[in-house]
Amino acid sequence: DIQLTQSPSSLSASVGDRVTITCRASQGISSYLAWFQQKPGKAPKSLIYAASSLQSGVPSKFSGSGSGTDFTLTISSLQPEDFATYYCQQYKSYPLTFGQGTRLEIK
Amino acid sequence: EVQLVESGGGLVQPGGSLRLSCAASGFTLSDHYMDWVRQAPGKGLEWLGRTRNKANSYTTEYAASVKGRFTISRDDSKNSVYLQMNSLKTEDTAVYYCARTAVVVGNYVFDIWGQGTMVTVSS
């Protein structure tokens, strides 16, 4: 199975900040990586697929990069609604797997 | 509006069975792969399995943790996908989500999620 390790596991930031979350795969997955945002009590929301492509309707403040084993999600100009938990997910091979999540909190 | 609505969750004893449903609307279900994902209380997301679309003969894939106990099926005529869960364990306690998979330039990505249904396995 492909393991995804996100860092950091939690992150405190202020409104207006720019933050970066990292996702490392245990083996190469090309660009078969997605990012999701989840708020408490809600379903995940798709943000990015193919490592860097924005899902329809997702604001350009979200950006993704990387390929192979190392990936990043960057969120610019944080707003109150961006504080949530973020997950990466690989779809290179079965079983599909998720990172453990990064909780983004308001400082 | 494209929407997925899960139902069928509840309290079940260890060793018991439960069938979850996912009702799809606003799109042609037979065109899409559909997946089930769960989230134990306070934990991360865990993929459970997939049913491919009609063009791919509705074949399925499962995570090792549920293979042989859980079965995914679908009835496109009823716009529904199902998760039959047998031999339930306390560690199966979670919110269960169904998710639509979209194919975008060769990428099989979750684009629509249901709101989830809670399953509690306890005596």
Side-chain angles (χ1 to χ4, degrees), chain A residues 26-48:
Chain A
S26 60
Q27 59 187 269
I29 57 171
S30 185
S31 295
Y32 296 113
L33 188 101
W35 289 96
F36 299 89
Q37 176 194 67
Q38 187 180 34
K39 297 180 180 179
K42 300 295 186 182
K45 173 186 175 183
S46 178
L47 298 176
I48 286 171

Side-chain angles (χ1 to χ4, degrees), chain A residues 1 31-34 36 38 41-46 48-50 55 87 89 91 94-100, chain B residues 33 35 37 39 43-47 50 52 61-64 97 104 106-111 113-116:
Chain A
D1 298 3
S31 295
Y32 296 113
L33 188 101
F36 299 89
Q38 187 180 34
K42 300 295 186 182
K45 173 186 175 183
S46 178
I48 286 171
Y49 65 94
Q55 281 282 7
Y87 293 92
Q89 179 242 332
Y91 50 93
Y94 296 107
L96 308 184
T97 50
F98 291 88
Q100 83 279 13
Chain B
Y33 292 20
D35 294 66
V37 176
Q39 186 169 38
K43 302 298 184 181
L45 301 167
E46 179 187 15
W47 175 78
R50 164 172 287 174
R52 294 184 179 86
E61 302 284 348
Y62 294 96
Y97 296 101
V104 183
N107 293 275
Y108 291 72
V109 297
F110 300 147
D111 65 340
W113 295 68
Q115 86 288 352

Side-chain angles (χ1 to χ4, degrees), chain A residues 65-78:
Chain A
S65 66
S67 67
T69 60
D70 294 314
F71 303 85
T72 60
L73 171 70
T74 299
I75 312 169
S76 62
S77 187
L78 282 171

Side-chain angles (χ1 to χ4, degrees), chain B residues 4-18:
Chain B
L4 298 171
V5 178
E6 301 94 335
S7 61
L11 176 63
V12 60
Q13 292 187 338
S17 297
L18 205 59

